[in-house]
Amino acid sequence: MTRETGKTILLTILVLLSVVLTWNIWFYQTEYKSSKSPSDSVKNVAIADSKSLKDVVKPDLAVYYHNNDMFGVTKSESVSKVYSLFRKATFTNVYPIYGQHSIPARGGNNGYEIVFPAPVTINTLQKLFNFDSEDLSVQNNLMIDRIEIFKSATNNNQVMALFKTEKDNAAFYAAVKGLNVNNLYTSFSNANLVPYYKQPLRVKTAYLPAVKTKVKSILSFYDTVSFTDFVPILFSDPDNAIYSKGSYSDGSHQLEKSGNVLQYVNPAIGDTSTDIEDPIIHSYDFVNGHKGWTDDYIYDGISQNPSSEHQEVNFRIMTGDYPIISTEVYPNQYLCLINLNWKDNELQKLNRTLLNLNPIDTREPQTLASGQEVLHLLKTKASIKPKDIEDLRIGYRLRTVSDSDSSINLVPEWFYKQKGKWYSVLDAAQPEKPLQGEASAS
């Protein structure tokens, strides 16, 4: 081989190597996309779907006031239309209500209100609605679960918005721009309105139907999400998470599957001086980051303990127009929930369902009692009074599913809440069964 021939071969090899390296650079893709999550720096794995904040934190009831009468609608399509109109408005001149300050009076005959299933933080409120100022000059710890829009009695041309707590107490008000109340009236006119009334309970004023309610049962198929899919989400170093006896652990964090419930624990959280972030947004961002919405979830509750910097947030599965509720024993109360516990902004516990529901058919409607009838039933059959109850609502009951049957029959019932846990009114009213919940001793 001559020197010239050797040079030619070497040059050819170098050119081919350059082409291969260039090709790899152009078309290289990582297996996962790294991102900063609320708990650790984890690999972003898609479980199911992502959702916008407005589709997760949303009202489940729309209310129409006419003179002294009150009407409500729970049909999700109707509530969504009203919610959309509220979100298009701009709220200006926010004014807090304190002391003896007068509350704007509703002028004319009509008022329009949306009600969230659980109170939301001021920060979350500002992300959902349009305010003309970032500084609302209201207390940061305020929690709002209902917003009413109406024309002012003192100035009939001015549209006002009243932001209220779950006790139905006015917290602050604002002027409304960019909203034609006639559009709100049209939305309610086309809805199936039923009479409602306000019922004071232990921690909130609930809005209950004053008449019987017909709700269809739902037949749903389901499959399950593999809990191993959550390993790269919940462990900063997935390769260090060792599988043994049904659970993953890296020596401090632990992930296990209990039936169809995923349970994650991170006990190694020390005291830090990290500023506390908004727990609702924090939780939403975490689930949305790995597209963890396997069903139609709705924000359904918050619990905060400022002294321990501990925060708990729930997202609940909705089907049709109502939430799904499990009254089963631990840990099966999480069969219809994503339950997140934070400490110092770090995920301390996660309990979530692995079920992925697929409703396929509706059955004959069930006729459910009115709000007054339910309260009377609880009082006479179970000695449970309104002051003993934290919340009261209609929902679909989800029982522990069977591995031998991939279908679930979701039946509507009334449920009441005590000490953060939901119970069936039907079960409480059965004298031959042990009563659930805690009745008043008085």
Side-chain angles (χ1 to χ4, degrees):
M1 179 186 296
T2 65
R3 177 179 293 181
E4 294 301 322
T5 302
K7 288 182 178 179
T8 301
I9 294 173
L10 179 60
L11 181 61
T12 302
I13 293 172
L14 291 174
V15 170
L16 290 174
L17 181 61
S18 176
V19 170
V20 171
L21 291 173
T22 302
W23 178 272
N24 286 339
I25 291 172
W26 283 354
F27 295 97
Y28 173 76
Q29 291 182 337
T30 58
E31 184 178 358
Y32 298 107
K33 185 172 80 173
S34 296
S35 65
K36 184 73 174 176
S37 88
S39 62
D40 288 303
S41 179
V42 301
K43 298 198 170 39
N44 189 4
V45 180
I47 298 297
D49 296 320
S50 60
K51 292 180 180 289
S52 64
L53 181 66
K54 68 178 177 63
D55 293 327
V56 178
V57 185
K58 58 186 178 181
D60 61 350
L61 173 67
V63 176
Y64 170 60
Y65 296 100
H66 180 69
N67 294 330
N68 295 322
D69 297 323
M70 176 182 177
F71 303 89
V73 57
T74 56
K75 187 173 179 58
S76 57
E77 182 180 354
S78 300
V79 176
S80 294
K81 288 180 180 178
V82 177
Y83 185 33
S84 178
L85 290 173
F86 272 58
R87 295 189 66 255
K88 289 178 181 178
T90 299
F91 301 106
T92 68
N93 303 321
V94 172
Y95 202 99
I97 296 171
Y98 53 88
Q100 300 298 316
H101 185 81
S102 60
I103 300 173
R106 185 193 312 144
N109 298 322
N110 303 327
Y112 312 91
E113 190 171 61
I114 54 174
V115 185
F116 292 86
V120 299
T121 58
I122 294 299
N123 183 50
T124 302
L125 207 66
Q126 288 180 283
K127 291 184 179 296
L128 292 172
F129 300 98
N130 300 314
F131 291 89
D132 67 340
S133 174
E134 292 184 6
D135 182 11
L136 299 187
S137 299
V138 299
Q139 296 177 351
N140 290 331
N141 61 351
L142 273 177
M143 302 289 288
I144 302 299
D145 81 330
R146 58 201 72 181
I147 308 169
E148 183 186 355
I149 287 179
F150 53 86
K151 286 187 176 181
S152 171
T154 56
N155 182 355
N156 201 44
N157 292 322
Q158 178 63 67
V159 180
M160 306 296 296
L162 196 59
F163 296 78
K164 297 181 279 188
T165 68
E166 60 182 344
K167 279 284 192 179
D168 202 38
N169 296 325
F172 62 92
Y173 65 86
V176 180
K177 294 183 178 179
L179 174 63
N180 187 336
V181 293
N182 291 331
N183 293 334
L184 283 174
Y185 178 79
T186 300
S187 295
F188 278 96
S189 297
N190 296 330
N192 184 22
L193 297 174
V194 298
Y196 266 65
Y197 74 102
K198 296 182 179 184
Q199 174 63 55
L201 301 175
R202 183 176 180 181
V203 298
K204 70 180 292 185
T205 295
Y207 295 173
L208 304 178
V211 295
K212 295 181 186 297
T213 304
K214 287 188 175 182
V215 183
K216 290 183 177 180
S217 298
I218 294 177
L219 178 64
S220 176
F221 282 140
Y222 74 91
D223 54 22
T224 57
V225 180
S226 172
F227 91 112
T228 59
D229 291 346
F230 289 86
V231 171
I233 297 167
L234 297 169
F235 293 90
S236 57
D237 184 2
D239 294 334
N240 196 36
I242 307 302
Y243 182 80
S244 175
K245 297 180 180 180
S247 67
Y248 286 90
S249 176
D250 62 359
S252 57
H253 313 76
Q254 182 167 320
L255 173 66
E256 64 181 9
K257 178 177 179 288
S258 301
N260 287 304
V261 175
L262 173 150
Q263 295 189 284
Y264 166 80
V265 179
N266 173 22
I269 300 178
D271 294 331
T272 68
S273 58
T274 306
D275 292 334
I276 300 176
E277 297 182 23
D278 183 292
I280 301 174
I281 300 299
H282 206 44
S283 300
Y284 161 78
D285 285 341
F286 175 73
V287 179
N288 214 49
H290 59 264
K291 299 183 179 180
W293 310 112
T294 49
D295 280 289
D296 181 17
Y297 283 87
I298 187 171
Y299 161 69
D300 191 51
I302 183 173
S303 175
Q304 301 187 81
N305 188 342
S307 62
S308 64
E309 297 183 341
H310 176 271
Q311 303 146 330
E312 181 177 354
V313 174
N314 285 329
F315 300 105
R316 183 177 297 277
I317 301 177
M318 294 279 290
T319 187
D321 305 322
Y322 296 97
I324 300 179
I325 296 174
S326 172
T327 61
E328 302 290 311
V329 297
Y330 178 87
N332 285 328
Q333 71 263 37
Y334 300 117
L335 278 172
C336 43
L337 290 175
I338 300 177
N339 167 263
L340 304 104
N341 290 260
W342 303 93
K343 188 172 186 290
D344 296 319
N345 290 317
E346 191 169 352
L347 187 63
Q348 187 177 38
K349 293 181 182 179
L350 170 65
N351 301 285
R352 69 153 294 159
T353 182
L354 294 172
L355 297 179
N356 183 13
L357 303 183
N358 181 26
I360 59 170
D361 193 18
T362 56
R363 303 292 181 89
E364 287 297 316
Q366 305 285 323
T367 300
L368 304 182
S370 68
Q372 295 100 322
E373 291 171 333
V374 168
L375 289 172
H376 178 74
L377 187 66
L378 285 173
K379 183 178 180 180
T380 57
K381 296 291 186 180
S383 299
I384 299 175
K385 302 175 183 177
K387 67 178 182 179
D388 304 318
I389 302 170
E390 296 171 4
D391 204 350
L392 186 66
R393 65 168 63 163
I394 293 172
Y396 286 101
R397 186 165 186 172
L398 177 62
R399 300 178 185 272
T400 304
V401 297
S402 169
D403 293 337
S404 61
D405 189 357
S406 61
S407 65
I408 304 173
N409 190 28
L410 299 169
V411 180
E413 291 185 30
W414 274 101
F415 299 88
Y416 66 98
K417 188 178 184 182
Q418 289 185 320
K419 291 190 175 182
K421 180 171 174 52
W422 287 99
Y423 301 93
S424 164
V425 171
L426 188 62
D427 287 351
Q430 299 287 339
E432 67 276 9
K433 295 182 180 180
L435 296 182
Q436 298 185 14
E438 295 187 358
S440 172
S442 60

